[in-house]
């Protein structure tokens, strides 16, 4: 049985990195796997949130999933906080996770920065909640961008340690699926930094809600170097900004980086950028239009999330009961 679980945080708007690194792969995978796609709203609480903005972002991420092509009938699409078993399993797993494992998490170190003592406990425990998300559904595969690799390794370690401790084969060890050409999309302002929602500069990222003019403007302003485009992937890799733009082009047009490099070998950046604008707008404009249409009927999004949440909760309840039985938590009246 192959089952996928993956999710995105409803913090600010989704960007091209989220789309190319994850969402687009999900759309392709839904034909071959039983899939559960989650809006991980509890994870978003690790950052300061305005309640009204958060509520809107949760709906917007759900709309983005559907606009990109995720079918809410064929897959389970829901928001994390609708299913309380995520928090419950997270607690149980946190009691089975050595602090030393969490101390190695690079994302915590980056996000907490110098204010480590002031960082909230949730930010520190974040990867355990992520492991709980996955293990609650006994997911076997997790399609994510490269930045989530370490968290996925931790989820595997937690699952393996739990199984060994109790001598059971309860949790499958989830496999990361880091797919496609653009597993790590970089900032348009700095080819050595990841494209991220938290970057101060709007020009560092293309949002899934940007209109054609904004996309064109951001790509035209994207940092480059003075040389024309290289002729080999090897030369490309020495030039972070060029590499990033070529990678984005390749991913958007569904070809390999090598094919893109060959096609634009020796081209000036201004010409290459025009082609990049075309393919970016062509890909994103229909998705943005569908997102806007979906967001016009918030009641319908809520209805779909609730229906998905009911289906997720049914599975979560069964699996959490198994966990409780294994570890010896009494479920009064349940007969064990
Ligand atoms: P989040 O919300 O930061 O990102 C959502 C997905 O987008 C990918 N991604 C990128 N891919 C390529 N280039 C980039 N610049 C880029 N930025 C983001 C991420 O790798 C991710 O796949 N912890 C997760 C959310 C989560 C989760 C889970 C994922 C919570 N529980 C369980 C999988 C399974 C996160 O913060 O993703």
């Amino acid at each position: 049985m192959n089952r996928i679980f993956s999710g995105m945080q409803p913090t600010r708007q989704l960007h091209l990195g989220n789309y190319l690194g994850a969402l687009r792969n999900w759309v392709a995978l839904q034909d071959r796997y039983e899939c559960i796609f989650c809006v991980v709203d509890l994870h978003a609480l690790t950052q300061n949130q305005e309640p009204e903005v958060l509520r809107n972002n949760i709906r917007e991420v759900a709309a983005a999933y559907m606009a990109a092509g995720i079918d809410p009938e064929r897959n389970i699409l829901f928001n994390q906080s609708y299913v309380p078993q995520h928090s419950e399993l997270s607690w149980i797993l946190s009691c089975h996770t050595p602090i030393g494992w969490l101390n190695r998490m690079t994302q915590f170190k980056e996000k907490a920065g110098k204010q480590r003592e002031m960082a909230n406990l949730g930010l520190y425990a974040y990867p355990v909640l992520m492991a709980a998300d996955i293990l609650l559904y006994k997911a076997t595969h997790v399609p994510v961008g490269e930045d989530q690799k370490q968290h996925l390794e931790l989820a595997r370690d937690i699952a393996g340690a739990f199984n060994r401790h109790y001598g059971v084969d309860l949790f499958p060890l989830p496999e990361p699926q880091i797919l496609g050409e653009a597993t790590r999309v970089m900032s348009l302002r700095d080819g050595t930094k990841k494209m991220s929602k938290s970057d101060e500069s709007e020009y560092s990222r293309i949002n899934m809600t940007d209109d054609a003019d904004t996309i064109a403007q951001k790509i035209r302003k994207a940092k480059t170097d003075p040389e024309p485009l290289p002729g080999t992937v090897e030369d490309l890799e020495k030039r972070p900004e060029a590499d990033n733009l070529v990678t984005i082009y390749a991913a958007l047009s569904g070809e390999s980086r090598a094919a893109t490099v060959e096609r634009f070998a020796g081209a000036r950046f201004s010409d290459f950028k025009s082609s990049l604008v075309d393919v970016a707008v062509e890909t994103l404009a229909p998705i943005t239009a569908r997102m806007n249409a979906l967001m016009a009927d918030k009641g319908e999004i809520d209805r779909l999330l609730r229906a998905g949440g009911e289906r997720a909760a049914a599975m979560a309840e069964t699996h959490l009961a198994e966990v409780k039985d294994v570890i010896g938590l009494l479920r009064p009246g349940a007969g064990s």
Side-chain angles (χ1 to χ4, degrees), residues 14 23 59-70 208 287 291 294:
L14 297 187
L23 185 48
R59 294 185 177 116
E60 197 168 275
V61 171
Y65 289 1
M66 291 188 275
I70 298 295
M208 285 183 69
I287 299 177
M291 253 174 98
L294 287 162

Side-chain angles (χ1 to χ4, degrees), residues 5-9 11 15 17-18 20-22 26 40 43 80 107 111 126 129-130 133-134 142-148 151-152 182-186 194-197:
F5 183 97
S6 201
M8 298 202 180
Q9 295 193 67
T11 42
H15 54 64
N18 299 129
L20 293 177
W26 301 359
V40 291
H43 278 101
Q80 190 184 26
Q107 196 164 69
K111 289 202 170 162
Y126 176 116
L129 178 58
M130 179 163 161
D133 296 341
I134 299 163
V142 185
V144 283
E146 205 179 280
D147 62 339
Q148 295 302 315
H151 288 159
L152 251 294
T183 58
R184 188 174 175 84
V185 177
M186 309 306 276
K194 191 182 70 169
M195 182 178 284
S196 146
K197 290 175 190 162

Side-chain angles (χ1 to χ4, degrees), residues 171-302:
F171 295 129
L173 302 192
E175 290 277 344
Q177 291 175 307
I178 299 175
L179 304 169
E181 285 291 336
T183 58
R184 188 174 175 84
V185 177
M186 309 306 276
S187 155
L188 299 180
R189 306 300 300 158
D190 179 350
T192 64
K193 255 172 61 184
K194 191 182 70 169
M195 182 178 284
S196 146
K197 290 175 190 162
S198 52
D199 197 311
E200 278 162 25
S201 166
E202 268 298 315
Y203 281 91
S204 68
R205 62 185 162 261
I206 292 171
N207 294 321
M208 285 183 69
T209 46
D210 284 346
D211 61 20
D213 286 344
T214 312
I215 292 174
Q217 217 180 7
K218 288 180 176 176
I219 290 177
R220 268 192 231 108
K221 276 190 187 277
K223 188 177 168 202
T224 52
D225 57 45
E227 304 293 319
L229 273 98
T232 64
V233 171
E234 203 190 351
D235 286 343
L236 179 71
E237 284 173 353
K238 295 175 196 144
R239 296 164 58 186
E241 281 80 20
D243 192 359
N244 190 34
L245 295 181
V246 166
T247 300
I248 292 173
Y249 183 97
L252 284 170
S253 56
E255 64 182 29
S256 67
R257 271 191 325 158
T260 304
V261 167
E262 198 173 311
R263 178 131 56 109
F264 290 99
R268 288 180 314 169
F269 269 109
S270 51
D271 296 332
F272 171 71
K273 282 181 168 179
S274 300
S275 303
L276 182 56
V277 169
D278 290 345
V279 68
V281 170
E282 208 175 284
T283 309
L284 293 179
I287 299 177
T288 311
R290 280 195 292 275
M291 253 174 98
N292 291 338
L294 287 162
M295 282 300 279
D297 189 352
K298 296 194 169 57
E300 176 64 3
I301 295 182
D302 291 4

